[in-house]
Amino acid sequence: MNKYIVIDGGVSSPKGFLSSGIHSGVKKSGKNDLSLVYSEVPAYSWAMFTTNKACAAPVTLSKSHIQDQNIQAIVINSGNANACTGQKGLSDAYEMATVTASALNIAPQNVIVSSTGLIGLPLEMDKIKSGINKAVSALSVNGSEEAAKGIITTDAHLKTIAVQVTIDNKVVTIGGMAKGSRMIHPQMATMLSIITTDANIDKAYLKYLLNDTTEKTYNMISIDGDTSTNDMVAVMANGKACNNELNANHSEVQSFANAFAFVNEYLAKSIVADGEGATKFIEVQVVNSNTLASAKLAAKSILTSNLVKTSLFGEESNWGRILCSIGYSGAQFDMDKLEISLVGDNKETIKIVENGQSTVFCKESAKKLLKERNITILVDFKTGSQNSIAWGCDLSHNYVKINSSHIS
């Protein structure tokens, strides 16, 4: 039973957090392009970053600053990724941290920096620096929505969430915001996710929790198979809820872990649901595998197959494409036991593969099911007890149209 409740809000919902989002002038549209998240006290923190070796300057800087695990501010600009910009880019990222730190009267190493947008262009630092000071002045407990607006690029929808859970008779709040709608692939993607909480939590356990949750959420989504230069998921915990310190042995730690997992899964799924040109939200469940590794390999392979994705866009029950993607995934399975089913919004289930071969199913019923927005592909290996779940979307004409017009 879930013991957390969803509330209105986002990153500044937990006690002791403020946030803001403003227009600095980087985006010519006049929309918000710079966001700030600030904790009134140093917060235990951890972050995970892109595995792309062509990582952006802010990633390099933030990897260094997060090692201290005491972060008080996160500054994010959109409209320019500050990626592939050489030594100047590194200097600019550091200057973003120092300007933020000076305005907040904190140490530069207690600031992490993120950028998102076009690759290869130098930052307009005059606009960024004046924007940071403007964002500091705008900090508010009610700034979550404006902050969420300031980090998006091609997103069609804001991605923000807050939940509360009671720990040691204290109300603990977790807030979050994210961005991302393309270049999304396991091992993160062109996505940013910022999680805040007022929980009092052990540093080592916070690090474990973020690593474990990221592996089960952000690393289990895919839109187009591209991993970006700027990906980051970060968490800040400032202890303002005054609960007894959460660690692996705390009697109520699972309640917090469940709430934390919900926040991150919600944000990860919101990214996929906002996939550029997407018409379908696809959930893949691989169950009863001998190993977790095989279940994950199969789930990811189905989601990243362009042939599967285009079939789903065309609302065709092409079971052979699904089976083929499992076959080359590297997963270990018994072909003679394999089952595949399609599940619709109303839980209607159509088995399309049994014992590794096509079933006699009604193509018209399958076509009708595939017209729904939310579709689950259920794969049963029937060889073990390990399960995995992943999320993705279809590949439409509109995705190609949208991305053919981007210069970076």
Side-chain angles (χ1 to χ4, degrees), residues 163-209:
V163 304
Q164 290 183 331
V165 59
T166 300
I167 305 290
D168 300 321
N169 295 316
K170 306 287 186 181
V171 175
V172 174
T173 305
I174 307 170
M177 66 178 182
K179 65 82 57 178
S181 59
R182 71 180 177 113
M183 292 180 77
I184 303 294
H185 190 57
Q187 303 311 318
M188 291 198 289
T190 182
M191 56 145 279
L192 301 175
S193 182
I194 309 299
I195 310 300
T196 56
T197 180
D198 50 23
N200 176 23
I201 187 168
D202 174 69
K203 280 186 181 182
Y205 184 74
L206 181 67
K207 180 178 179 179
Y208 158 77
L209 195 60

Side-chain angles (χ1 to χ4, degrees), residues 99-311:
V99 171
T100 303
S102 177
L104 293 170
N105 196 29
I106 61 177
Q109 62 267 29
N110 288 346
V111 179
I112 58 176
V113 178
S114 185
S115 299
T116 182
L118 294 177
I119 293 172
L121 302 176
L123 285 174
E124 298 176 86
M125 286 305 295
D126 288 344
K127 293 177 180 178
I128 294 289
K129 287 188 289 185
S130 63
I132 288 171
N133 287 304
K134 184 178 175 182
V136 169
S137 297
L139 283 170
S140 167
V141 294
N142 300 313
S144 295
E145 183 174 338
E146 294 303 312
K149 290 178 182 178
I151 68 174
I152 61 174
T153 50
T154 58
D155 304 54
H157 306 286
L158 296 184
K159 302 164 183 70
T160 185
I161 183 72
V163 304
Q164 290 183 331
V165 59
T166 300
I167 305 290
D168 300 321
N169 295 316
K170 306 287 186 181
V171 175
V172 174
T173 305
I174 307 170
M177 66 178 182
K179 65 82 57 178
S181 59
R182 71 180 177 113
M183 292 180 77
I184 303 294
H185 190 57
Q187 303 311 318
M188 291 198 289
T190 182
M191 56 145 279
L192 301 175
S193 182
I194 309 299
I195 310 300
T196 56
T197 180
D198 50 23
N200 176 23
I201 187 168
D202 174 69
K203 280 186 181 182
Y205 184 74
L206 181 67
K207 180 178 179 179
Y208 158 77
L209 195 60
L210 183 66
N211 292 355
D212 182 64
T213 304
T214 297
E215 185 60 29
K216 294 174 181 176
T217 57
Y218 305 110
N219 283 349
M220 294 302 291
I221 61 174
S222 184
I223 289 176
D224 51 18
D226 281 312
T227 299
S228 178
T229 55
N230 290 64
D231 322 327
M232 180 178 79
V233 53
V235 60
M236 302 170 70
N238 66 13
K240 284 279 191 174
C242 298
N243 57 286
N244 296 331
E245 185 180 71
L246 283 164
N247 55 44
N249 298 316
H250 190 291
S251 62
E252 295 180 277
V253 70
Q254 195 57 51
S255 293
F256 180 82
N258 290 344
F260 190 82
F262 171 81
V263 166
N264 287 280
E265 182 176 314
Y266 175 89
L267 292 173
K269 290 164 78 171
S270 295
I271 290 170
V272 170
D274 201 18
E276 288 180 337
T279 70
K280 311 289 183 190
F281 178 87
I282 311 302
E283 179 171 289
V284 175
Q285 298 180 19
V286 179
V287 301
N288 300 319
S289 170
N290 273 337
T291 67
L292 180 59
S294 283
K296 291 172 69 173
L297 283 170
K300 290 181 178 182
S301 187
I302 293 167
L303 285 177
T304 56
S305 165
N306 284 336
L307 290 177
V308 172
K309 290 159 74 70
T310 50
S311 285

